[in-house]
Amino acid sequence: MVVSLAEIRERSGEVFMEGCPTRVVLDHIMSKWGVLVLLALTDGTRRWGELRREVQGVSEKMLASTLRTLEADGLVERTSYPEVPPRVEYSLTELGEELMERMLPLVEWVAARAGAIVTR
């Protein structure tokens, strides 16, 4: 079911207004690294090194920042195991999984058309 912008405005306020919480959330999940980290976690739990390899080009600082932000938003869960050496795993929360159910069709659309769009 496609929802109109008017319906979104009616339910959640003015999405175009400065200070609207939707802007904060969209900034977090639709940033270049936010999308790629969420996509990497869609296939299951990942350790730090796995995420670094899968999300090519992300710096350690940016990956750490992105993961902290997504964790604070309740989209990613960080599990630390008291082992030597320490082991930390990241996975999507239920909210993160719900988000990705909706985001994957968009990513699929972009992947199918990116080449044609970029060459224009």
Side-chain angles (χ1 to χ4, degrees):
M1 178 179 156
V2 177
V3 179
S4 71
L5 182 55
E7 290 172 302
I8 293 171
R9 284 181 174 156
E10 188 176 305
R11 289 184 202 156
S12 59
E14 180 56 71
V15 295
F16 292 111
M17 291 184 67
E18 191 173 343
C20 181
T22 57
R23 285 187 177 198
V24 174
V25 175
L26 286 170
D27 182 47
H28 294 174
I29 64 175
M30 299 305 288
S31 70
K32 176 169 112 175
W33 301 121
V35 168
L36 294 174
V37 167
L38 289 166
L39 281 171
L41 293 173
T42 300
D43 287 335
T45 300
R46 297 280 187 270
R47 293 179 70 179
W48 173 269
E50 292 172 313
L51 285 170
R52 271 297 307 272
R53 284 187 295 279
E54 194 161 345
V55 183
Q56 294 181 12
V58 67
S59 68
E60 287 187 18
K61 181 178 177 181
M62 202 64 228
L63 180 57
S65 173
T66 301
L67 285 167
R68 273 194 304 273
T69 298
L70 296 174
E71 182 182 7
D73 291 342
L75 301 169
V76 170
E77 180 177 31
R78 178 185 188 273
T79 305
S80 181
Y81 297 92
E83 301 172 351
V84 177
R87 177 170 55 112
V88 178
E89 294 180 340
Y90 298 90
S91 59
L92 293 176
T93 62
E94 191 173 315
L95 187 62
E97 289 174 358
E98 183 182 337
L99 168 66
M100 293 315 293
E101 285 176 18
R102 288 158 174 78
M103 193 181 292
L104 283 172
L106 171 62
V107 172
E108 180 182 29
W109 183 90
V110 169
R113 290 160 181 81
I117 293 169
V118 170
T119 58
R120 286 182 171 232

